[in-house]
Amino acid sequence: MSNIQMPEIIPKTEAETVEPQLQRPPMFRVVMLNDDFTPMEFVVDIMIRFFHKSEEMANTLMLQIHHQGSAVCGVFPRDIAETKIHQVETASRTAGHPLRCLTEREPDE
């Protein structure tokens, strides 16, 4: 018979056995700002197209922007929030409107 020696079993270290702790990415609010030039219908259309709001919710948010100066359109991870802002501002400039959005970090829970 052969004299092949089997290697000793090496126990796993603690780093190999512990499951990684995944964290939720920081979230950011997309806030739409009021201006005196963008038509209300355009704001409603933007809410429906880019934030997937119902017509009723889009009208509610548009009125909040109009009366209070701003409204939160959605909460997303940073890259998605920045993409939404870019989409809104590109569509707005293309249509000749000065509509603007900004991001605010969502408070940690």
Side-chain angles (χ1 to χ4, degrees):
M1 304 234 200
S2 71
N3 285 337
I4 299 176
Q5 288 188 344
M6 298 298 289
E8 291 183 35
I9 297 177
I10 301 171
K12 289 185 176 184
T13 64
E14 184 178 329
E16 294 174 319
T17 59
V18 175
E19 289 292 318
Q21 297 295 317
L22 302 178
Q23 293 181 346
R24 189 171 184 213
M27 302 299 276
F28 291 80
R29 298 174 182 163
V30 175
V31 179
M32 192 172 290
L33 304 175
N34 186 41
D35 65 66
D36 294 332
F37 305 102
T38 304
M40 294 178 177
E41 296 81 18
F42 184 79
V43 174
V44 170
D45 181 56
I46 290 291
M47 293 285 185
I48 293 169
R49 271 199 302 168
F50 298 117
F51 296 98
H52 308 288
K53 302 295 184 187
S54 67
E55 190 167 347
E56 182 180 353
M57 179 56 74
N59 277 302
T60 300
L61 289 170
M62 177 272 299
L63 288 173
Q64 181 181 348
I65 293 166
H66 182 69
H67 292 295
Q68 297 174 11
S70 66
V72 176
C73 302
V75 179
F76 310 96
R78 181 171 48 199
D79 56 341
I80 295 174
E82 289 173 354
T83 299
K84 296 280 185 190
I85 289 173
H86 179 73
Q87 291 173 326
V88 168
E89 291 185 353
T90 299
S92 182
R93 297 308 168 270
T94 301
H97 303 302
L99 185 63
R100 293 199 53 236
C101 294
L102 56 86
T103 58
E104 294 177 349
R105 184 160 179 164
E106 182 79 353
D108 293 330
E109 295 174 1

